[in-house]
Amino acid sequence: MDWKIFLTVLVSVFVAELGDKTQLATMLFAADKEVSKYTVFLAASTALIIASAIGVLAGSMMSEYIDERYLHYVAGVGFIAIGAFTLYNA
């Protein structure tokens, strides 16, 4: 296992998910006193695993047809555009 890649992905996804609507929705479900916190945790974790698996599969398939360098450019431009849009609307 490449620990550098592992830690880079871990930190990137963790920071991106903090305060995200997914985390807020999970907190709302867990706030219900009649709901099992274990069930909420398992359901939310499973959903994130499935969403991540879709991302990995999509990235793997796209990398077969598109040069990795261009995927990095598109991702970079996309993140910059989202950041600019967020700043503009703030």
Side-chain angles (χ1 to χ4, degrees):
M1 178 184 298
D2 186 343
W3 287 102
K4 182 179 177 184
I5 296 295
F6 177 85
L7 290 173
T8 301
V9 173
L10 175 73
V11 170
S12 298
V13 172
F14 179 76
V15 169
E17 289 297 323
L18 282 179
D20 189 13
K21 62 183 179 273
T22 304
Q23 186 182 30
L24 297 174
T26 304
M27 287 189 315
L28 288 173
F29 283 117
D32 187 346
K33 293 184 191 286
E34 297 177 13
V35 173
S36 165
K37 307 318 178 225
Y38 183 70
T39 302
V40 172
F41 175 77
L42 284 178
S45 298
T46 303
L48 289 172
I49 289 169
I50 293 169
S52 296
I54 291 170
V56 169
L57 289 172
S60 296
M61 291 170 62
M62 287 181 4
S63 70
E64 291 181 19
Y65 302 103
I66 303 171
D67 187 352
E68 180 182 349
R69 187 173 26 152
Y70 297 123
L71 290 175
H72 283 256
Y73 292 148
V74 169
V77 169
F79 279 114
I80 290 169
I82 290 169
F85 179 76
T86 302
L87 286 173
Y88 177 76
N89 287 324

